[in-house]
Amino acid sequence: MNIAAVYESVTRSIIVELEQGAAPWVKPWKGGSRVGIMPANAATGRCYSGINIPILWQAAGVRGYPTNGWLTFKQALEKGACVRKGEKGTQVVFTKPLSVKKDDDADEERQISMLRAFTVFNGGQVEGIDV
């Protein structure tokens, strides 16, 4: 999935919620959700940031996931767990600053951001691990 498709998916889900009368970015912890305040990677313990927070809040709220812990397919396998057959993941993005050489000067570098989309699964979609 390319990054434009991720943006389109997020935009569509926000529009659907707005049409139903909900503002998905407004204090999701006030709605009695079972999901914790900040989505976190269940393998590393690191909290997600940026656009990934509302993406994961929205996915957890719509699908009724019981936890705020998320894993990639590979991380689940590394923990001795497996994603249940037929489960659909949620697309999130990762950015990483990179230094690249400027074309006109081989010694001078400039900073760019690498943007990559990947799929995560909520702990409620994974068997063999407590998240």
Side-chain angles (χ1 to χ4, degrees):
M1 177 180 273
N2 66 31
I3 198 64
V6 173
Y7 288 148
E8 184 178 328
S9 173
V10 170
T11 301
R12 267 196 320 266
S13 65
I14 290 171
I15 289 170
V16 166
E17 287 197 46
L18 287 172
E19 288 172 344
Q20 294 172 352
W25 56 85
V26 178
K27 301 179 185 172
W29 56 89
K30 292 269 186 176
S33 172
R34 294 175 298 164
V35 176
I37 294 174
M38 293 300 291
N41 184 288
T44 66
R46 185 172 181 267
C47 289
Y48 287 94
S49 61
I51 190 64
N52 293 326
I53 295 169
I55 289 172
L56 295 174
W57 274 342
Q58 191 270 343
V62 167
R63 298 178 189 151
Y65 293 140
T67 179
N68 66 348
W70 299 82
L71 298 149
T72 65
F73 187 85
K74 183 178 177 183
Q75 287 172 327
L77 290 178
E78 290 170 352
K79 294 276 188 184
C82 63
V83 175
R84 285 190 199 94
K85 186 174 181 171
E87 292 287 354
K88 303 281 189 230
T90 302
Q91 293 288 314
V92 293
V93 294
F94 172 77
T95 59
K96 179 180 180 179
L98 297 175
S99 295
V100 296
K101 301 277 185 190
K102 285 190 174 181
D103 294 331
D104 54 348
D105 188 353
D107 292 334
E108 198 171 332
E109 294 183 343
R110 64 184 175 105
Q111 293 288 317
I112 63 169
S113 289
M114 175 188 72
L115 186 62
R116 186 173 149 211
F118 59 100
T119 303
V120 294
F121 296 88
N122 184 272
Q125 299 174 280
V126 179
E127 294 177 339
I129 189 173
D130 288 328
V131 179

